[in-house]
Amino acid sequence: MTVNATTRSAGKSAGALDLDRFRLRRFVESLGGDELDIREEKVDLADVAAILQNNPKAVWFRNVGPEGQELTGNVVGSRSRLAKAFGVPAGEVALEMRRRLSLKPELVKLSGNEAPVQEVVLTGADADLLRLPVHVQHALDGAPYISATIDYTIDPKDGRYNCGLRRLMLRGPREAGVDLIAPSDLRVMYMASAGRRERLNVAYVVGCHPIDMVSATMKEPVDELELISSLRAAPLPVVKCVTNDIMVPADAEMVIEGYFDERGYVEKEGPYGEYLGYYGVVKTNPVFHVTAITHRKDALFQTATISGNRMDYTDTSNLEALRMEMNVWKILGEVVRQPVAVYAPVAAGGSMSMRFAIRQTYPGEARSALYAVLGAVGVKNVFVVDPDIDIFDDSQMEWAFGTRFQADRDLVIATGVRLSPLDPSLHGARSGAKAGYDLTWPVQHAQNWELVTPQAPSYPGSRFPSLEAALKDGPKHFEELMAAVGSRDGREVVRELDAFRSGGLERDERGRYYLPKQA
């Protein structure tokens, strides 16, 4: 399980751990009114989806369903909340994640009586999925879905842990459908297991800190349980499941233990609203069987927002955008000397569009970076700009697109490439096209004064005893002449300049005023 991590058993050091520091409930409690919508009134499960849909805030339902349970949703549905989870500004989350990847992970093994997630243990008939506050998320979904789930499995090849975000479609008290169609390590493991007619044990965590959800979206060549510790920048308390040997975070809200049966892809699953904002078709998928449910005494159940026409407000798009940005930072680090910023617009599903800014140091650098990102990342549209453009600002990007782009010169198209099968514009095709948009100034033209963006005057420059002395010192913009004589009213400078016109006042190609030194 832990090839490179430091592993400690429970004891004095484990007892010193704060088992609430990375708890979902504590994170939700830390959100202010600008980030959290608290619903104290009783809410039917049938109404949960409408309240979450297009809601820019996380929502905390204090009294949901006939049992009056607690439910939270849309917790990571904004970059600001993800930034809060990592304790950095919104524009620095991906960079902070890259820094934390270099940290050595540490797992602390707890026994069952020490692990908060096993305060309540339900097995047999008591392990009932239909007692959980699971709601219908989209009008045409095939059933209620448990959507904020992280699956934990052990790869039999090397003993490493694999984690991912995958939904569960309720089929009964102890059965659920699982979406295992997309290429993934878990799909490879399950197909091998089913080929041997063997079950594959799996544990689903429901209700976790945002950092854990981020880690589940990443694909790094490490044990993915250890990855959580690295991204938390803290020891990770873990505990063995009660019905299998899988270790899970001991500070989670809930764990659903079970297995994928050996029959393979045998049951219909879906339809379901997918992360690009459209429906996924009915698929044939494996079946998950529940063997136990463990949870905290005051467990906070979690649901994830996934689809709709405001992807920027959904959990999945925000998570996907952050994952894609991490990938692009890695690529730019190999091909560009001075990468400046990276942003995946969340409104495009977090993966269909990518923007990045670089400081060019040689001709062709922007175009090389554009090709690299197009070739190595599963995005469809890529935009590269100079550092003066704020890639997080849609209005600045539109301005750059409208004024710095010529289609016959700056458009790069790659055809016959693999795209997400969920992209509805493919119309069933197996491959499509990508486009790159070079919105940078060519290096040889970037210093042209007419390409400088106008700004309000700041009056830089040295003081001179007179306007004449300033003019003889060398060419100066009108703004600099005002600063040279300490003028707070430009009209008086105009009057003085007018007096020098008969004495040889000249202007250069940039519009700067000067007096020839011989005058």
Side-chain angles (χ1 to χ4, degrees), residues 155-171:
D155 192 333
K157 292 187 304 182
D158 54 19
R160 284 185 172 184
Y161 272 76
N162 181 79
C163 302
L165 286 170
R166 266 167 283 265
R167 63 198 187 227
L168 290 173
M169 173 186 169
L170 296 189
R171 292 176 50 81

Side-chain angles (χ1 to χ4, degrees), residues 289-310:
H289 300 262
V290 178
T291 55
I293 298 176
T294 70
H295 60 83
R296 288 174 177 260
K297 291 179 180 178
D298 60 342
L300 178 58
F301 197 78
Q302 185 177 11
T303 188
T305 47
I306 293 177
S307 201
N309 58 3
R310 284 302 303 265

Side-chain angles (χ1 to χ4, degrees), residues 416-421 426-432:
V417 294
R418 181 177 178 273
L419 296 176
S420 169
L426 288 173
H427 301 302
R430 292 182 177 271
S431 63

Side-chain angles (χ1 to χ4, degrees), residues 132-176:
L132 306 178
V134 187
H135 66 100
V136 177
Q137 293 190 269
H138 317 107
L140 301 181
D141 286 0
Y145 273 81
I146 307 175
S147 53
T149 52
I150 300 180
D151 52 64
Y152 290 78
T153 49
I154 303 173
D155 192 333
K157 292 187 304 182
D158 54 19
R160 284 185 172 184
Y161 272 76
N162 181 79
C163 302
L165 286 170
R166 266 167 283 265
R167 63 198 187 227
L168 290 173
M169 173 186 169
L170 296 189
R171 292 176 50 81
R174 279 166 292 282
E175 283 191 5

